[in-house]
Amino acid sequence: MTASTPYPVNSGSLAGASEQEKKKRLDAMVALWQSDTQRRLARDGYTPFVSAMGLDEYRYSVWLRFPEWERSVVVGQVVTLRPAEGSEEPQPALFSAWRQDPLLKSMPDWKQHLPKETVFNLNVRITPGSLGEGSKWAIIMPREMITRYRPGWPTQQEWVAWTRSFDWLSVSVGFIRTMLDALEQ
């Protein structure tokens, strides 16, 4: 998105909803996502869940959801492993929240690539650098999008090029900081 391109407007059936209605729906998205992930962990078991989340290779897995009906908001879920009392095996910590982020005003318009989608999903896996290990991150197309692939959607090469056009890492790190602050309280 260039500086002369206007910020994408809200679209879809909920675009005209009141701010209170949108907040209520965002709160519901957060609660449903949190409980769905907790059920997935219980259903799949520790090892397959950790592997599917990428926590066998990365420290944080941050899932981002961008609703078409409120373009200034991102819903995020952070999954990480935390030490558990009385156990040698760390336990997954799940944190879901939504927030408005000024950085989203510079985000490319994902509706151009996925016109029939109502929510855009993206996963950013991060290992912050420390003790000389260096930082690394990866941006992942969610697996559920692959099975729904349609003609006109970006190819893998186009997806990689497009994801490099925005600072997804900064949006993701904001959720990690919020999670760490919540865990300290």
Side-chain angles (χ1 to χ4, degrees):
M1 177 179 249
T2 63
S4 62
T5 306
Y7 182 63
V9 297
N10 297 335
S11 58
S13 60
L14 296 173
S18 70
E19 290 303 310
Q20 279 188 299
E21 179 64 23
K22 287 180 181 180
K23 285 180 181 181
K24 189 166 75 173
R25 289 188 179 267
L26 288 164
D27 289 340
M29 278 178 78
V30 166
L32 285 169
W33 198 4
Q34 182 79 10
S35 66
D36 283 350
T37 306
Q38 288 169 338
R39 279 196 303 271
R40 181 178 174 192
L41 171 60
R43 181 191 70 223
D44 294 351
Y46 177 83
T47 302
F49 179 82
V50 166
S51 179
M53 290 291 138
L55 297 175
D56 49 353
E57 199 176 335
Y58 294 89
R59 190 174 303 163
Y60 300 102
S61 182
V62 184
W63 292 84
L64 303 172
R65 290 184 176 176
F66 302 90
E68 71 170 342
W69 44 270
E70 185 53 68
R71 290 299 196 82
S72 65
V73 165
V74 57
V75 182
Q77 182 174 81
V78 180
V79 186
T80 190
L81 298 176
R82 305 274 304 169
E85 285 185 38
S87 174
E88 289 183 25
E89 193 170 75
Q91 295 300 305
L94 309 172
F95 176 81
S96 302
W98 67 270
R99 64 189 176 92
Q100 292 186 308
D101 192 325
L103 187 60
L104 297 181
K105 294 196 179 208
S106 64
M107 179 179 170
D109 187 4
W110 55 269
K111 288 289 280 186
Q112 290 179 352
H113 297 291
L114 307 168
K116 295 194 180 352
E117 296 294 296
T118 58
V119 176
F120 172 58
N121 294 288
L122 188 76
N123 178 232
V124 181
R125 295 176 178 175
I126 306 168
T127 296
S130 62
L131 301 174
E133 74 180 9
S135 62
K136 67 177 184 172
W137 64 89
I139 297 166
I140 313 293
M141 177 189 276
R143 200 175 293 174
E144 66 267 14
M145 288 184 77
I146 294 169
T147 58
R148 294 184 0 237
Y149 189 88
R150 298 182 189 131
W153 280 20
T155 63
Q156 185 67 24
Q157 186 176 15
E158 291 168 335
W159 174 267
V160 169
W162 182 69
T163 57
R164 287 184 181 150
S165 68
F166 184 68
D167 192 359
W168 308 103
L169 191 60
S170 291
V171 175
S172 302
V173 168
F175 282 102
I176 293 171
R177 288 185 181 134
T178 305
M179 179 200 70
L180 293 174
D181 289 345
L183 290 174
E184 287 179 5
Q185 296 177 359

